[in-house]
Amino acid sequence: MSRKMLIDGEKGNSNEENVQYDFDLFVIGAGSGGVRASRTSAAFGAKVAICELPFNPVSSEVIGGVGGTCVIRGCVPKKILVYGSSFRGEFEDSKNFGWEVNEQIDFNWKKLLHNKTQEIFRLNGVYKRLLSNSGVTLFEGEGKVTDPHGVELTQVDGTKHRYSAKHILIATGSRAQRVPFPGQELAITSDEALSLEELPKRAVILGGGYIAVEFASIWRGMGVSVDLFYRKELPLRGFDDEMRVVVANNLEGRGIKLHPGKTLSQLIKTEHGIRVLTDHGEELIADVVLFATGRLPNTKRLNLEAAGVEVDKTGAIKVDEYSRSSVPSIWAVGDVTNRMNLTPVALMEGTCFSKTVFGGQPSKPDYKDIPCAVFCIPPLSVVGLSEQEAIEQANSDILVFTSTFTPMKNSISGRQEKTLMKLVVDSETDKVLGASMCGSDAPEIMQGIAVALKCGATKAQFDSTVGIHPSAAEEFVTMRSVTRHVTAGGKPKTNL
Ligand code: NDP
């Protein structure tokens, strides 16, 4: 077995080196982080096994499937539904461009659902092939830790096997969290929402995060009446406040009923649907109630205590900068560590793990300037610091540049929706600290801006970049006047 241990403290441990294990690495969980770590570790010459429950598209109980949350019940199916939903706006917008669209537009949910599931099956197969082509052994079953080097695998038929591994990597992701109030069992989570047999006519969503606003947009685009309840004044806590206002206005403009500062208190089953009671004494009837109230790390069934792996109060595995747990042979990447719960971050963590453990290149994931997007319609995308974060963290004054404009397409279609772009700049170094955009194609545009921020681009370099005309993206290189100048203490100097 070729095993080069390159982590400080393990070199020269001859007893360890003489122990024979079934595998160099056993990965529990074949989602984004687990699959990436398996493949890259195998490429470094490690003998790798990975386990995951089989994909069961009809069960919302079994959280399985090679590909994990992103591919099976997250980013990918969600984006397919966002595409499906976006056509409504396109049909509406096309009229002033000369298209005759019949008033009666039919949408066939079952057809989209079928095509979405087929695509998920295809991707599930692609991921399995990626593993086998990399020489990784895939076990279809549930893994549990038995000791610092042991994994017990339970297959679907109940058969149990034990394997030993020099290293164990936990990459079991997270699962949707439910809110404990009377009747909560009547609500669904995003797992079921992605595969509903029937499209609801009336949906109530609880939560103001990514999933809440994305599903509000998806369902509204499909003609569903949507009521969105969230505890704060604005959705998307943690994002730039000005962007949050725009998102809220856009959601409302597209016909979603917003209920800021409110939550649900009880659900009651009736013959007409689910009776929804709010903490403000209101009542609604809904066909579907969606909990989009955050996710919790998947650690409960891993038997981590047997090996002495420490978890925090949310159940997340505590890891060091290299993704190593409190037990030296056990590592963890992705949502199960609750660091930054995004697929590309899990991929980065998986790659760094492999480089560190099997590649001879100790590597820490770099969490600076990670771009992300919320696929509401139109989408929001950001990279770097929000205006509020920049002000909090700044040692020097902050210059804020904003551009609010009617996109060219909307000036013909008549859609009353503006695009907002923002750059946050350090007044001393001229470095762009953050960029954000709410408008069409924001995620596609922001990926390029993220490269610039990663390179430490200055505002002057943005300004000297030639725009692509006509595009919305060119606004990012033509914002010349300062909208706000905020002094280091957080007080506005100018408010232009
Ligand atoms: P988020 O953490 O984004 O949002 C959770 C929301 O639920 C918040 O608005 C929160 O309110 C609210 N909430 C939490 N507990 C309660 C409660 N007891 N009662 C009422 N409201 C409650 O979680 P999501 O479920 O939307 O998404 C989970 C994670 O998945 C995201 O954080 C993200 O990491 C990832 N994700 C990423 C996507 C992307 O990249 N496009 C898409 C979807 C998910 P409050 O703000 O008041 O605390």
Side-chain angles (χ1 to χ4, degrees):
M1 228 177 268
S2 68
R3 222 180 297 116
K4 295 190 213 105
M5 298 313 307
L6 293 142
I7 289 285
D8 288 345
E10 286 203 349
K11 273 184 189 167
N13 184 342
S14 56
N15 287 341
E16 277 275 293
E17 284 302 308
N18 291 333
V19 178
Q20 290 297 306
Y21 297 100
D22 297 326
F23 296 98
D24 296 317
L25 173 66
F26 199 109
V27 181
I28 303 180
S32 304
V35 169
R36 168 63 66 86
S38 315
R39 293 174 59 214
T40 47
S41 298
F44 283 125
K47 185 180 177 193
V48 183
I50 190 167
C51 70
E52 175 65 66
L53 282 158
F55 169 33
N56 182 349
V58 290
S59 167
S60 58
E61 295 299 316
V62 180
I63 306 293
V66 172
T69 302
C70 172
V71 173
I72 308 287
R73 49 182 68 77
C75 324
V76 174
K78 179 274 307 286
K79 187 82 187 277
I80 292 171
L81 298 193
V82 170
Y83 280 128
S85 179
S86 301
F87 283 101
R88 172 179 294 267
E90 294 296 307
F91 291 136
E92 289 165 1
D93 291 350
S94 70
K95 292 177 189 167
N96 281 354
F97 287 92
W99 291 90
E100 296 291 335
V101 182
N102 293 333
E103 286 311 312
Q104 179 63 36
I105 303 174
D106 290 329
F107 169 64
N108 187 333
W109 164 247
K110 284 198 162 50
K111 186 170 186 174
L112 176 58
L113 194 65
H114 171 79
N115 290 339
K116 184 257 321 173
T117 305
Q118 291 303 109
E119 177 59 6
I120 303 310
F121 267 119
R122 189 185 73 79
L123 290 172
N124 179 245
V126 168
Y127 272 74
K128 283 184 181 173
R129 276 197 300 283
L130 284 173
L131 287 171
S132 68
N133 292 345
S134 309
V136 174
T137 305
L138 169 66
F139 295 114
E140 291 207 300
E142 184 172 357
K144 277 190 173 68
V145 174
T146 54
D147 60 74
H149 295 282
V151 173
E152 181 184 83
L153 182 83
T154 308
Q155 287 172 323
V156 186
D157 63 4
T159 321
K160 291 187 191 301
H161 297 277
R162 286 198 172 209
Y163 298 97
S164 63
K166 174 86 180 169
H167 297 278
I168 296 170
L169 177 70
I170 315 277
T172 46
S174 60
R175 65 171 63 212
Q177 151 168 259
R178 305 180 71 89
V179 184
F181 58 69
Q184 61 87 13
E185 67 284 354
L186 299 173
I188 60 168
T189 69
S190 56
D191 292 345
E192 298 89 31
L194 288 162
S195 298
L196 284 176
E197 282 292 311
E198 301 289 336
L199 186 66
K201 286 196 168 56
R202 303 155 299 181
V204 166
I205 302 177
L206 177 61
Y210 285 83
I211 294 177
V213 299
E214 289 179 347
F215 265 98
S217 290
I218 288 169
W219 279 336
R220 186 63 207 130
M222 292 171 181
V224 179
S225 162
V226 180
D227 284 87
L228 178 61
F229 288 82
Y230 45 91
R231 300 187 291 197
K232 301 283 181 303
E233 276 312 298
L234 289 168
L236 297 175
R237 176 167 56 86
F239 284 84
D240 189 287
D241 286 346
E242 218 171 347
M243 293 289 158
R244 296 168 71 197
V245 172
V246 176
V247 170
N249 289 342
N250 289 346
L251 294 175
E252 211 158 28
R254 298 228 174 192
I256 295 158
K257 283 160 265 168
L258 303 184
H259 303 269
K262 291 181 186 169
T263 189
L264 308 185
S265 56
Q266 190 174 358
L267 305 180
I268 301 159
K269 195 172 184 176
T270 75
E271 58 184 275
H272 307 293
I274 303 170
R275 203 166 129 222
V276 181
L277 310 186
T278 78
D279 63 343
H280 281 57
E282 294 140 318
E283 285 194 26
L284 294 87
I285 291 282
D287 304 307
V288 156
V289 177
L290 171 68
F291 280 155
T293 46
R295 296 178 66 86
L296 287 174
N298 257 335
T299 46
K300 274 202 181 134
R301 292 151 64 108
L302 287 170
N303 195 30
L304 292 174
E305 52 292 348
V309 175
E310 286 177 22
V311 296
D312 71 12
K313 60 180 187 320
T314 67
I317 297 178
K318 292 186 190 176
V319 288
D320 69 11
E321 290 169 303
Y322 293 95
S323 301
R324 189 177 217 160
S325 80
S326 54
V327 175
S329 57
I330 301 184
W331 308 71
V333 295
D335 286 14
V336 77
T337 61
N338 197 20
R339 285 176 281 184
M340 195 175 275
N341 300 334
L342 298 169
T343 291
V345 174
L347 296 176
M348 169 175 68
E349 291 168 354
T351 304
C352 288
F353 159 81
S354 308
K355 283 183 173 173
T356 301
V357 179
F358 298 107
Q361 311 153 46
S363 307
K364 298 178 193 173
D366 177 2
Y367 296 94
K368 192 168 178 290
D369 294 331
I370 290 174
C372 69
V374 185
F375 291 93
C376 43
I377 302 173
L380 166 69
S381 192
V382 306
V383 61
L385 302 182
S386 68
E387 182 176 342
Q388 295 73 38
E389 287 168 336
I391 292 167
E392 272 165 31
Q393 296 174 24
N395 294 320
S396 43
D397 291 5
I398 298 298
L399 304 177
V400 181
F401 296 79
T402 58
S403 175
T404 307
F405 57 95
T406 300
M408 189 190 269
K409 188 177 170 194
N410 290 3
S411 55
I412 301 296
S413 72
R415 182 175 291 284
Q416 296 299 303
E417 216 165 58
K418 291 197 184 296
T419 290
L420 173 64
M421 288 177 172
K422 178 183 278 196
L423 289 177
V424 179
V425 178
D426 184 311
S427 67
E428 250 172 43
T429 61
D430 196 40
K431 280 215 169 129
V432 178
L433 303 174
S436 42
M437 170 177 177
C438 184
S440 292
D441 302 321
E444 306 295 335
I445 293 169
M446 202 54 65
Q447 186 67 75
I449 304 283
V451 176
L453 261 68
K454 203 76 192 160
C455 296
T458 60
K459 180 68 169 60
Q461 287 167 324
F462 269 66
D463 294 346
S464 68
T465 303
V466 175
I468 296 173
H469 186 73
S471 71
E474 67 182 317
E475 283 294 311
F476 270 124
V477 295
T478 53
M479 289 189 230
R480 294 288 183 267
S481 27
V482 178
T483 310
R484 276 184 294 283
H485 180 152
V486 189
T487 55
K491 293 209 175 73
K493 204 171 193 173
T494 54
N495 204 345
L496 306 173

